[in-house]
Each structure stands twice: as C-alpha cells, then as structure tokens.
C-alpha cells in the first residue's frame, strides 16, 4: 500500500527588525502558491517565522518586547495566510512567539510555538518548544546573544502527535532536533511525519570549534531521528545573514530510511518539495525498529529518572 502526500519545506531568508509582519506574511503566501503549483498538501515554515530572531537582543524589559509575540492564532497579521491556505486547500505549520492569556496562576506565559493547520483551515494542534537553549542573562562576551531562555519558558506539555494529513504528525522546534528523546517520544506514538523549524546561527559562542560542523550536525541528528523511529522528518530553516548574524540554511526532507530526498540549495526564501509515502514508515517500524518486539524499556530507566550525568565512583586502586 502507498499513502502519498507531497510536502513543501518553505525556507525563509532573513527577516530584519524593521520588516513588518504584513510583509513577512506576503512572503509566506508567495511560498504557499509555489507549493500549490507543485501539488503540495502541506507547507512547513520555520521557527519564529514572523519576526527577526529577537532573542539575540538583551532586554531588562521583557514586556516592552511583547510586540514580537502573537496573542491569538490566527492573529490579525496572519489571518490572510490562514484565509489563502484554506482557499487553496493546503495545510501548513507555522512557528511563532506566543504570549498566552493569563492562566490559572494569573500570569501570561511566553512560548516558542508552532501551530499546525489542516487543509480545511482547522487548527490541528500547537506544539510549544521543550528544549530551550542559550542563556537567561546578558553575556556581553558573546558576539551576539542567544537569550531564548530569557524570552521563552520551557514547555512541560511534551511531544504530542496528531492524526492529520492522513497520517500521524508531530512537531519539534530547533534545539529539540538534537535530542534523541524528542523523536523517540513521538516514535512511541507511531509518528509518521515530524515537522521541525529552526534558527541555527553558524557561530556557536560556547565552543566555536563546532561552527564548521553546523551543517553536519543538522543532518546527523535529523537523519538519525528519522531512521531510528521509521518516520519522515521535514527540517526547515530561517537561514542567511540576519542582523549581521549568519544562520544555517540547508532545509531538507528526510525519508524513514534516513536518506535526504530534497535539500535547499540557497540561504534565502526557497521552497523544496518531496512526494512522501507515509506507508514507507512501516518498512522500518515493522522490522529493525519493531519497538514492541525489540525495545527494552526495563533497562532504560535512567532516561526518565535522571537528568545529568552520574559517573561511576573512582576506582580505589588508581
Ligand atoms: N533556535 C535554536 O534552538 N537554536 C539552537 C542554537 C542556539 C544551538 C540550535 O540548537 O540550533
């Protein structure tokens, strides 16, 4: 059996501080049209796709930066994207900064969120980023800041999956893609398609030795996650030089075999597509990675009971 869906990864080039939401949404809609002309049913946009990557600027006054967040989805600025996608019968995943209504604690919360929208315009679900990288406080020694931990809370909602697009679909965001737990949590729910947006600066200040490996690590973690869980993975960048900071592009679509079947060739706005057979997941889920038959959760207990590394005691004879 085959269950084909043609999917687009809609890579974005830079969004500068003075670019309006409206102008960005126009770019997204232009890519939506390109995707439709390639018969796509789903378009995946990057992490924080509506604004510049604002966590690179330190602020004492978080509330003074609330204009970077959406308080509703669709928001007034994104409504034209929702309307056009529905008219065209195409679904999408969109990363954005979310400022919630006050919760039971009376507080508003800030999340790095992705919304998944079906072909008929209904919202399938939201994913709020779990692994928040970077730092909370100003670190002036860095050439630029990565203050995601100041601007966003860690979500405790985990990695849910959804029955959508005639398959089982999950989401993750940027740094999540480096953690095997991300994929396995969804793999254990039978995921067939994982959608991942990212903003990855080439320069990694804590260890610049990793700069030259950014592209390699990007592919390494997403290809491994796809293969080890028998799932399609769509990785979508906001790439290029934004506010003087160069970010990785290299958006790609990865098959359950772990092979890359489509990859961006530029660092700007670019739509890549692939015709994905969701039934291909079974080739891996029912053989080498037949979880029910071969997994040994009883010997994996550290995975959920322990956070950091606990080394064995020193050998007394040394
Ligand atoms: N937006 C991100 O999560 N970026 C991180 C960087 C800071 C390492 C990433 O994992 O790509």
């Amino acid at each position: 059996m085959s269950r084909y869906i043609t999917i687009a990864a809609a890579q974005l080039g830079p969004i500068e501080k003075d670019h309006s939401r409206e102008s960005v949404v126009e770019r997204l809609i232009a890519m939506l049209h390109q995707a439709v002309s390639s018969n796509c049913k789903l378009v995946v946009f990057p992490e924080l796709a509506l604004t510049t990557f604002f966590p690179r600027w330190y602020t004492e006054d978080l509330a003074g930066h609330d204009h970077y967040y959406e308080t509703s989805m669709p928001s007034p600025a994104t409504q034209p994207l929702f309307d056009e996608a529905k008219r065209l019968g195409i679904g999408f995943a969109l990363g954005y900064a979310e400022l919630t209504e006050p919760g039971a604690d009376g507080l508003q919360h800030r999340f790095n969120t992705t919304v998944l929208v079906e072909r008929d315009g209904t919202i399938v679900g939201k994913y709020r980023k779990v692994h928040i990288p970077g730092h909370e406080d100003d670190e002036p020694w860095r050439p630029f800041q990565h203050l995601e931990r100041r601007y966003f809370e860690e979500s405790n909602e985990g990695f849910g999956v959804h029955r959508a697009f005639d398959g089982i679909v999950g989401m993750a965001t940027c740094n999540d893609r480096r953690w095997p737990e991300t994929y396995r949590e969804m793999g254990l729910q039978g995921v067939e398609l994982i959608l991942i947006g990212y903003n990855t600066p080439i320069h990694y200040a804590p260890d610049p030795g990793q700069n030259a490996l950014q592209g390699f690590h990007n592919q390494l973690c997403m290809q491994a996650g796809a293969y080890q869980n028998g799932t399609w993975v769509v990785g979508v960048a906001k790439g290029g030089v934004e506010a003087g900071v160069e970010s990785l592009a290299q958006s790609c679509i990865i098959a359950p075999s772990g092979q890359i079947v489509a990859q961006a060739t530029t660092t700007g706005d670019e739509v890549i597509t692939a015709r994905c057979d969701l039934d291909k997941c079974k080739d891996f889920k029912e053989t080498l990675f037949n979880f029910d038959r071969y997994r040994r959760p009883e010997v994996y207990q550290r995975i959920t009971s322990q956070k950091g590394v606990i080394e064995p005691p020193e050998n007394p004879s040394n």
Side-chain angles (χ1 to χ4, degrees):
M1 285 254 300
S2 300
R3 251 181 319 140
Y4 285 106
I5 174 171
T6 305
I7 300 174
Q11 176 176 285
L12 275 170
I15 300 174
E16 299 298 347
K17 245 182 174 176
D18 61 352
H19 292 180
S20 68
R21 289 273 209 302
E22 288 69 22
S23 69
V24 175
V25 168
E26 274 175 29
R27 286 164 63 182
L28 304 183
I29 291 175
M31 291 199 278
L32 208 62
H33 287 146
Q34 275 187 56
V36 167
S37 68
S38 299
N39 201 30
C40 293
K41 298 291 177 235
L42 170 63
V43 184
V44 186
F45 295 113
E47 174 190 36
L48 299 177
L50 298 172
T51 62
T52 197
F53 192 80
F54 57 89
R56 68 170 66 94
W57 288 287
Y58 177 75
T59 180
E60 297 276 334
D61 171 27
L62 208 49
H65 286 61
D66 280 351
H67 58 277
Y68 283 123
Y69 297 76
E70 311 301 308
T71 51
S72 62
M73 192 51 67
S75 54
T78 56
Q79 188 67 57
L81 175 70
F82 278 72
D83 292 345
E84 189 63 354
K86 184 175 174 182
R87 190 183 73 77
L88 296 167
I90 188 167
F92 64 92
L94 176 73
Y96 66 100
E98 178 189 12
L99 179 63
T100 69
E101 292 289 316
D105 53 10
L107 299 173
Q108 288 185 288
H109 297 274
R110 295 174 175 80
F111 294 107
N112 188 336
T113 299
T114 298
V115 65
L116 180 63
V117 181
E118 254 291 6
R119 292 155 285 189
D120 63 0
T122 54
I123 291 183
V124 175
K126 275 183 189 173
Y127 166 74
R128 291 169 170 160
K129 190 173 180 177
V130 166
H131 299 100
I132 306 287
H135 48 108
E136 292 83 358
D137 298 318
D138 196 17
E139 297 191 2
W141 59 271
R142 293 173 182 254
F144 54 90
Q145 307 290 296
H146 196 102
L147 288 153
E148 273 195 72
R149 295 182 70 83
R150 188 169 195 86
Y151 282 95
F152 298 114
E153 291 177 38
E154 294 170 330
S155 161
N156 293 325
E157 292 167 7
F159 298 96
V161 299
H162 307 275
R163 286 203 180 270
F165 298 93
D166 308 315
I168 302 178
V169 185
M171 294 171 272
T173 305
C174 197
N175 191 258
D176 290 325
R177 78 194 189 285
R178 302 184 192 272
W179 299 89
E181 293 86 349
T182 296
Y183 305 89
R184 186 62 102 225
E185 275 291 306
M186 290 188 266
L188 285 166
Q189 300 169 78
V191 76
E192 297 172 320
L193 175 60
I194 300 180
L195 315 176
I196 306 176
Y198 58 91
N199 282 262
T200 296
I202 300 288
H203 180 70
Y204 183 63
D207 177 19
Q210 295 179 33
N211 295 1
L213 300 173
Q214 289 292 1
F216 168 61
H217 288 156
N218 184 50
Q219 294 179 334
L220 179 70
C221 56
M222 291 196 291
Q223 289 183 263
Y227 168 60
Q228 291 169 345
N229 295 278
T231 180
W232 290 88
V233 170
V234 182
V236 191
K238 173 134 73 66
V241 180
E242 182 183 274
V245 176
E246 185 184 4
S247 287
L248 184 71
Q250 205 187 63
S251 300
C252 57
I253 302 177
I254 302 165
S257 61
Q259 292 164 294
I260 293 175
V261 297
Q263 184 169 321
T265 56
T266 72
T267 58
D269 290 10
E270 179 179 348
V271 176
I272 59 166
T273 67
R275 190 164 171 257
C276 305
D277 179 3
L278 299 183
D279 271 335
K280 267 281 157 206
C281 299
K282 291 198 188 108
D283 294 0
F284 299 88
K285 289 187 193 293
E286 293 180 357
T287 59
L288 263 173
F289 295 112
N290 180 335
F291 289 173
D292 206 31
R293 184 164 187 192
Y294 297 121
R295 283 187 79 250
R296 299 288 314 284
E298 64 277 21
V299 297
Y300 307 152
Q301 287 172 16
R302 285 185 192 86
I303 301 278
T304 54
S305 65
Q306 185 177 318
K307 187 170 181 187
V309 173
I310 302 175
E311 294 183 357
E314 290 289 340
N315 189 335
S317 63
N318 287 344

